[in-house]
Amino acid sequence: MTDSTVSAADVARLIDHTLLKPEATPADVDALIAEAVDLGTYSVCVSPSMLPMTIPTGADLKVAVVAGFPSGKHTSAVKAAEAKEAVAQGADEVDMVIDIGAAKAGLFDTVEADIRAVRDAIPKPVVLKVIIESAALTDDEIVAVSQAAVDADADFVKTSTGFHPAGGATEHAVALMAKTVAGKLGVKASGGVRTLDDARRMIAAGATRLGVSGSRALLGDDTRTSTGSSSY
């Protein structure tokens, strides 16, 4: 189902305009920021090594960074330190990757503790999003890790890094995550959200934030080349 009543401008205000390719340069980040301001996206999302960043004065634009990205196979202490340093350098939001292997092993207390370690390092009002790599999980695992994010006091659950071979966001996963968090957390759909119809379907399924690299093309104006990776 597609919610065709959502305007492109409304979709833009849900987008984390994303640049996470390893070869990204400072010039690429400058272009990302300029494009985000032009398009009216909610934020830019970058790797922590790209901080600090200069956001134009008066721009209504948040800065998000990733932690434990993209594998999630970092220790909790490393993820927490990475997140804390990013916030000290100006990040408003952190998108952390859980240990997918712990989830696959049914170690959901370990997943919760991992999230909690990062939450404790970056107290609210910093926004913490939890990337669960939903395409690599069963429905029961999606429910369990989404609940772990609720219990660890995160702010969002997020479908995907956009780099896992299992794939990105699906309407089914978004709906299941939204049902599980029951409005206590936001839901971010990322990975493969490339068209306005894709975005509207994810919103109809329950997404309250979108991770997109090709934001200009998605919003219907491809006159400028996107700076992000098409895989995100």
Side-chain angles (χ1 to χ4, degrees):
M1 181 176 66
T2 301
D3 188 350
S4 59
T5 64
V6 182
S7 71
D10 288 339
V11 170
R13 289 306 300 163
L14 300 181
I15 289 177
D16 292 343
H17 189 38
T18 302
L19 175 62
L20 295 169
K21 60 185 181 180
E23 66 271 26
T25 67
D28 291 332
V29 171
D30 289 344
L32 183 84
I33 293 168
E35 189 168 61
V37 171
D38 186 37
L39 295 173
T41 68
Y42 182 80
S43 77
V44 288
C45 183
V46 298
S47 302
S49 63
M50 308 313 292
L51 298 176
M53 296 161 53
T54 301
I55 302 298
T57 302
D60 185 13
L61 187 67
K62 301 294 186 182
V63 174
V65 300
V66 290
F69 193 91
S71 72
K73 302 301 280 190
H74 309 65
T75 66
S76 297
V78 167
K79 293 178 190 178
E82 187 175 33
K84 185 175 182 177
E85 181 181 19
V87 171
Q89 292 188 321
D92 302 296
E93 305 189 350
V94 174
D95 293 29
M96 68 164 286
V97 187
I98 66 165
D99 184 338
I100 312 303
K104 296 303 295 182
L107 302 174
F108 301 114
D109 287 346
T110 299
V111 173
E112 182 182 340
D114 190 41
I115 301 166
R116 173 61 68 180
V118 178
R119 172 83 285 173
D120 288 347
I122 52 164
K124 295 184 179 184
V126 176
V127 171
L128 175 60
K129 309 190 200 88
V130 177
I131 306 173
I132 70 169
E133 212 68 271
S134 56
L137 303 178
T138 67
D139 283 4
D140 287 347
E141 290 162 351
I142 289 172
V143 169
V145 296
S146 296
Q147 186 59 52
V150 173
D151 295 342
D153 201 25
D155 298 291
F156 279 80
V157 283
K158 174 179 170 181
T159 57
S160 322
T161 61
F163 287 80
H164 198 284
T170 65
E171 292 169 75
H172 173 75
V174 168
L176 187 57
M177 293 158 67
K179 181 179 179 181
T180 302
V181 302
K184 299 182 182 73
L185 276 64
V187 177
K188 179 175 172 180
S190 65
V193 182
R194 296 188 175 92
T195 69
L196 196 55
D197 279 348
D198 288 342
R200 286 169 170 160
R201 280 193 292 270
M202 294 302 170
I203 293 166
T208 56
R209 192 78 69 86
L210 304 168
V212 181
S213 59
S215 302
R216 184 171 294 280
L218 183 150
L219 293 169
D221 179 1
D222 58 0
T223 58
R224 200 179 301 173
T225 302
S226 169
T227 57
S229 165
S230 62
S231 67
Y232 191 85

